[in-house]
Amino acid sequence: MAISSDKYLKSHDTLDWDALRLQSLAPGGFGSARTLLWPSLLHVDANPTQPSLSTEDQTEPDPHRDERQIRLDTDRSFVLYPLLSHPLTNLADDGPEDVRLARQAELNHLIVQTFRRHPGLNYFQGFHDIATVLQLTLPPKIALPALEKLSLHRLRDSMGHTLEPLTSLMLILQRLLRLVDLPYAMLLEDALTREGQHRHAPLPYAALPHLLTLFAHATPSLPLIQHIFDYLLVRPPLAIVYLVAAVSNIIRKDLVLKLGEGGDGDEGMIHSVLTGLPEFTDYGEDQDNGEGYEVQLSPEFPPQPQNAPITPLCLWAQAMPCLRARVLRMYATPPQRQNYASALHLLTPLPDLFPVLILWMALRQRKQRLVHLALSRIHLHPAMKARQVYPSLVTPLSHRPQTPLPPSTLQTSHFHLREPPHAPRLPSAQEQGLFSLAHLSLPKVFLLADELFARFPPSTPELRLSHTIGPASAMQTWAQDVALMPSDDQAEALVVAGTDIVVREAPTPDSQNRKELQKRVKKRGIKKARKGEARLLVAGAVLVLGVAVAYGVGGRRGGGGIGIGGEAIGVRCLVRWALSGRECWGCLVMHSSDCEYCL
Amino acid sequence: MPMPMQTFSQELHVKILMIGNSSVGKSSLLMRWSENQWLPEDETSATIGVEVRRRKLDVRGENDTAGEEQFRTMQSAHYRGAQGIMLVYDASCRQSFDELTRWFKEIDRYVTGPVVKVIVGNKVDKEFQRQVPAAEAAVFAEKMGCRFIETSAKTTVGVRKTFRDMVERIVGNPELRIVSKPSPPQASFARPRAPSFLNY
């Protein structure tokens, strides 16, 4: 990785925060330089005067009251992140269970030490998720002071006697969501209200785990969460609110599209939104195209003897040993929608392959919702779109009445793929609109979050920040310049005092505003989903075609074809194509004879 | 289904809340019930905030909350509108049973209307590590005026009965306001219990 931390040091000690902020947006974030950068960003003293761990063990501080809870949580940790791929581990020779236990013990020690050193802090569930990220990123000696600084100066609002300060954050988030996109915000709030959970101005509770754990609880892989931390640590603590808002706003498209499926009545819409919320929290992370990923083949690859009963999924799992366990777990999971979403999650390290496989399975099982979900994750190659085959071929495959494409309301597409060498012609606007489905990449989310921050900075009157968050909150005391921040002891004292963190407002104007806001929304209307739905159906049909042709390739070429349930599929072609990136879409669809991946 | 028959154009929405100490198996019970699945301990992680699961036909709207102390202030909002509350403890952990009284206080604080309460002793598969005799829990439940049932999310013992019981009692209780609203015809059908989507 090319990023050097030196580049961001203006002088001896001063970090170039602006340059770092820029770098954090790029795919891969800080890369390996984060090992050095995070401690600096957290203002960890480079020459610690504090006693190191080993010497401190002799004068062990008193146990912390939360250690039982910490133990309960660390015993349930390391479920998500691959254990063996971490460079700092020297335990690779042991079995995965031993490694897990060793890691859990390390994590427990790290957290317990933090709280013993700062007895004023209270543990919260989810803190262990954050600590895990530091533990897996930083050398052990740095991880402890880094976690202390992180706790005292960024997380301490959540470490008081109650989690009430989080309510403030959710209020800010709610106001931000309304500022960004009022109809969407109202839609979500309505959904919650009708469910009977909250009768007045429901708070975005779905965002709670993200706000609390800085996405560490739900992010499925270490490189992703490291990049998210790159982004957050180089910005004020409040950036998490903007990031959550950006994520939920990008999800919007998916949600609103799904609204179209559920039937005509409001009931269908509401239900879809509600069930969409778990997906909404799940969708927060996506494949980042950067250097973070190591896609490695296991030594036994390619493993399959000819004619062995092999499924695309187990092939994929064999290609990605570190994810195999998770795939197996998925395997045992019944087809609930959340699981589809998390299945799609698993795909993110391998761009586009897994959505295609999921799509393939969904089509076989005629699971329409799953088809839609998979589709939303697939980028189509322009070459495929350019092929003017679908109008004639859609009908026999889809058995659906044709929905004419709306001619005038098409969006511009966001393709950033390379054009194939022999691109037949540029796709028409109509075709682009047909396939322009959202692809959620971290850099894209970050850019949006930054844009939101620029458009609606914390000083925006509508956010009512100073009426919600008190001067003792970490949101207010954090500063880029360490000299302007409270000391560690002062920060701990603020937690213990517990005052001036939350500003209690008179009856919330938010709920009073609601009816008025709802009226405004009704005037504008939010039923844009219908058109999107029509497009999705056609897209689905076209993909049926694409996959069907792909089978044809395998069958014809023999070589890598493996029987699956009586059908021949060009598995080798499919996998090589997938591992090669997206360039081979054209050949997958058009089985061009000069594609190197098909040979 | 044991639920009183509804007309096809209606469905009942029932909200059941599960509370109890950390790590007693609330999420596992929910998982077992909603997806008939059980994950071994090393594959589950702590719930942050609230998890919501829905299951059609029988019941809809199921909240599983984080057990840790600090989340409780956040949870007042989730108590609102709940018609049923399951107080879960771990039969192999004395403390989780003793602290049920604190959870009852919590309910008193946040729940104003009538609500169906059930005490659920989970993890009875760990018979040899049992620390709470069933008889003792039954006496306690009677004192608190609620039902008691023992379950194991691992072996499925009692899980379906617990939820079915809860729904029956909620539906059978005229004091509880149950949201029933018209819905499109297709929503009246349960999602087919198809095999895993990877099974083909």
Side-chain angles (χ1 to χ4, degrees):
Chain A
M1 280 169 231
I3 309 149
S4 148
S5 55
D6 299 347
K7 192 173 145 195
Y8 300 103
L9 291 174
K10 267 179 177 165
S11 61
H12 286 303
D13 287 327
T14 325
L15 284 171
D16 188 346
W17 287 74
D18 290 334
L20 279 172
R21 272 192 274 271
L22 213 57
Q23 178 61 42
S24 73
L25 299 174
F30 298 156
S32 57
R34 59 172 67 96
T35 316
L36 296 167
L37 287 171
W38 285 8
S40 305
L41 292 171
L42 291 166
H43 306 301
V44 172
D45 197 348
N47 308 304
T49 49
Q50 295 167 313
S52 75
L53 261 182
S54 53
T55 54
E56 198 203 28
D57 283 347
Q58 292 149 11
T59 53
E60 187 71 26
D62 292 335
H64 190 273
R65 57 195 169 280
D66 291 334
E67 284 182 24
R68 187 180 159 273
Q69 184 65 49
I70 295 171
R71 169 66 65 187
L72 283 174
D73 289 346
T74 54
D75 281 353
R76 298 185 273 179
S77 58
F78 291 99
V79 175
L80 274 183
Y81 301 142
L83 291 161
L84 298 170
S85 61
H86 179 48
L88 296 178
T89 184
N90 47 8
L91 301 157
D93 292 339
D94 299 329
E97 201 43 44
D98 297 330
V99 181
R100 184 199 300 274
L101 291 176
R103 287 245 163 273
Q104 287 177 346
E106 269 175 43
L107 178 66
N108 189 269
H109 183 75
L110 176 66
I111 298 176
V112 165
Q113 287 304 315
T114 306
F115 284 95
R116 286 187 182 179
R117 286 182 180 212
H118 302 284
L121 299 179
N122 295 284
Y123 174 80
F124 62 88
Q125 282 190 301
F127 183 85
H128 68 296
D129 290 313
I130 297 174
T132 308
V133 180
L134 295 194
Q135 181 201 357
L136 292 179
T137 307
L138 303 174
K141 279 193 176 169
I142 308 286
L144 178 59
L147 188 58
E148 288 179 74
K149 291 283 185 185
L150 183 69
S151 311
L152 288 167
H153 299 291
R154 283 178 172 268
L155 306 172
R156 71 161 188 270
D157 287 359
S158 308
M159 303 177 82
H161 297 298
T162 73
L163 286 171
E164 202 189 347
L166 264 185
T167 317
S168 311
L169 277 196
M170 282 193 276
L171 270 172
I172 305 283
L173 174 65
Q174 184 177 51
R175 291 168 195 154
L176 181 62
L177 285 171
R178 287 177 180 181
L179 283 176
V180 173
D181 190 336
L182 186 61
Y184 177 55
M186 290 283 112
L187 194 72
L188 289 181
E189 291 177 23
D190 276 354
L192 286 171
T193 312
R194 294 198 196 186
E195 189 68 356
Q197 287 192 5
H198 317 280
R199 291 182 203 288
H200 311 287
L203 287 170
Y205 274 96
L208 186 148
H210 298 331
L211 291 172
L212 187 61
T213 70
L214 312 179
F215 285 100
H217 182 63
T219 307
S221 85
L222 186 60
L224 283 177
I225 187 59
Q226 284 174 328
H227 192 183
I228 292 176
F229 273 39
D230 289 344
Y231 176 86
L232 290 174
L233 292 183
V234 75
R235 286 168 177 77
L238 201 63
I240 183 67
V241 175
Y242 291 85
L243 189 57
V244 170
V247 167
S248 83
N249 197 51
I250 291 187
I251 300 308
R252 179 204 141 104
K253 252 186 207 160
D254 282 2
L255 271 177
V256 175
L257 282 177
K258 265 175 241 150
L259 290 186
E261 292 174 30
D264 286 327
D266 270 13
E267 169 75 16
M269 293 181 73
I270 304 298
H271 183 72
S272 295
V273 173
L274 273 172
T275 47
L277 281 176
E279 288 165 23
F280 152 84
T281 57
D282 271 349
Y283 269 39
E285 324 72 25
D286 204 85
Q287 174 244 335
D288 95 53
N289 293 312
E291 53 197 304
Y293 277 111
E294 298 169 32
V295 178
Q296 285 175 339
L297 297 181
S298 68
E300 69 262 36
F301 187 86
Q304 66 285 47
Q306 281 287 339
N307 302 325
I310 188 162
T311 64
L313 198 76
C314 80
L315 191 75
W316 176 79
Q318 263 158 348
M320 301 286 295
C322 68
L323 291 168
R324 192 180 301 156
R326 279 198 277 153
V327 171
L328 291 178
R329 205 172 302 147
M330 290 305 306
Y331 203 91
T333 307
Q336 298 285 338
R337 201 168 336 147
Q338 295 98 313
N339 298 326
Y340 292 158
S342 42
L344 290 172
H345 242 347
L346 292 175
L347 330 182
T348 50
L350 258 191
D352 286 2
L353 165 66
F354 204 34
V356 172
L357 296 180
I358 292 276
L359 178 69
W360 174 64
M361 290 183 283
L363 291 170
R364 282 180 64 107
Q365 300 194 352
R366 296 186 171 77
K367 295 203 185 305
Q368 195 186 348
R369 198 176 289 273
L370 184 54
V371 170
H372 286 202
L373 264 171
L375 275 174
S376 69
R377 287 303 186 95
I378 294 176
H379 261 240
L380 293 187
H381 196 283
M384 178 177 171
K385 298 185 305 163
R387 229 172 123 77
Q388 288 185 300
V389 287
Y390 59 86
S392 57
L393 288 169
V394 160
T395 321
L397 281 166
S398 69
H399 303 295
R400 283 175 190 283
Q402 281 294 294
T403 318
L405 292 172
S408 59
T409 57
L410 298 161
Q411 313 147 347
T412 51
S413 73
H414 307 289
F415 284 107
H416 49 269
L417 301 175
R418 261 177 281 160
E419 284 289 304
H422 310 292
R425 65 172 181 80
L426 285 175
S428 72
Q430 205 171 36
E431 289 157 349
Q432 282 191 6
L434 179 64
F435 293 115
S436 92
L437 297 165
H439 186 92
L440 200 60
S441 77
L442 271 185
K444 189 171 157 188
V445 177
F446 291 157
L447 277 173
L448 181 62
D450 271 4
E451 193 193 319
L452 295 183
F453 196 94
R455 272 172 64 200
F456 311 105
S459 56
T460 310
E462 289 92 337
L463 290 181
R464 304 175 58 77
L465 194 81
S466 56
H467 298 272
T468 314
I469 295 178
S473 161
M475 302 291 150
Q476 306 272 22
T477 62
W478 184 89
Q480 206 163 296
D481 183 355
V482 67
L484 301 174
M485 283 205 302
S487 72
D488 290 1
D489 291 341
Q490 285 169 337
E492 197 176 335
L494 289 174
V495 174
V496 175
T499 48
D500 290 335
I501 298 171
V502 177
V503 178
R504 277 173 227 276
E505 283 185 295
T508 54
D510 299 275
S511 51
Q512 291 164 3
N513 283 341
R514 259 182 76 73
K515 280 193 176 158
E516 194 190 318
L517 289 172
Q518 275 164 336
K519 268 185 207 159
R520 258 201 275 164
V521 171
K522 270 185 191 158
K523 274 184 197 162
R524 280 195 248 164
I526 47 169
K527 296 200 175 179
K528 288 178 186 165
R530 293 288 176 269
K531 287 166 190 164
E533 178 192 22
R535 277 185 228 152
L536 267 176
L537 291 179
V538 182
V542 175
L543 269 154
V544 175
L545 163 73
V547 176
V549 176
Y551 298 162
V553 178
R556 207 161 48 91
R557 296 192 179 274
I562 292 168
I564 301 170
E567 270 176 78
I569 179 171
V571 172
R572 200 179 64 179
C573 168
L574 197 64
V575 169
R576 295 189 65 174
W577 153 77
L579 294 176
S580 70
R582 301 195 183 92
E583 281 81 1
C584 201
W585 248 120
C587 94
L588 190 69
V589 176
M590 290 147 62
H591 53 94
S592 97
S593 58
D594 52 6
C595 169
E596 58 174 306
Y597 299 107
C598 290
L599 296 175
Chain B
M1 278 294 149
M3 204 174 89
M5 282 301 289
Q6 296 295 311
T7 59
F8 275 106
S9 61
Q10 286 207 323
E11 42 180 65
L12 294 177
H13 289 219
V14 172
K15 180 175 163 184
I16 302 172
L17 192 69
M18 298 172 82
I19 54 178
N21 274 15
S22 186
S23 212
V24 297
K26 297 179 291 296
S27 300
S28 293
L29 277 176
L30 188 55
M31 188 80 140
R32 171 58 82 192
W33 171 75
S34 68
E35 301 185 9
N36 198 18
Q37 199 192 5
W38 186 77
L39 293 172
E41 251 166 67
D42 58 353
E43 290 186 23
T44 54
S45 57
T47 305
I48 307 297
V50 167
E51 195 177 327
V52 180
R53 296 263 171 155
R54 268 152 252 279
R55 186 166 147 184
K56 274 195 180 179
L57 196 62
D58 266 346
V59 179
R60 261 176 129 198
E62 180 65 31
N63 289 358
D64 167 31
T65 58
E68 204 213 3
E69 180 104 14
Q70 281 156 304
F71 280 109
R72 295 186 192 178
T73 49
M74 313 292 299
Q75 284 163 3
S76 59
H78 298 291
Y79 281 96
R80 226 173 286 158
Q83 289 110 6
I85 298 179
M86 289 187 188
L87 296 106
V88 188
Y89 72 91
D90 175 354
S92 65
C93 169
R94 182 84 218 173
Q95 192 186 357
S96 70
F97 175 73
D98 292 340
E99 290 183 6
L100 281 182
T101 45
R102 285 168 58 196
W103 288 105
F104 272 107
K105 274 182 203 149
E106 192 96 337
I107 296 175
D108 288 342
R109 209 165 118 204
Y110 293 121
V111 182
T112 44
V115 66
V116 175
K117 284 172 275 190
V118 175
I119 293 180
V120 180
N122 193 28
K123 303 197 193 177
V124 287
D125 53 283
K126 293 179 165 180
E127 188 53 53
F128 296 110
Q129 295 157 44
R130 181 188 277 274
Q131 294 181 359
V132 184
E136 184 188 348
V139 169
F140 175 71
E142 208 182 320
K143 192 182 107 195
M144 302 307 293
C146 59
R147 283 202 189 181
F148 164 67
I149 193 163
E150 288 201 325
T151 61
S152 163
K154 186 177 182 180
T155 63
T156 76
V157 169
V159 177
R160 287 186 64 184
K161 185 171 185 301
T162 309
F163 282 91
R164 209 182 49 212
D165 240 46
M166 177 67 109
V167 174
E168 279 175 351
R169 290 180 58 203
I170 292 173
V171 173
N173 188 339
E175 281 183 64
L176 296 169
R177 276 180 310 143
I178 297 172
V179 189
S180 107
K181 39 188 166 182
S183 58
Q186 71 266 28
S188 299
F189 297 102
R191 176 174 300 160
R193 305 227 14 116
S196 152
F197 73 101
L198 300 171
N199 269 340
Y200 38 84

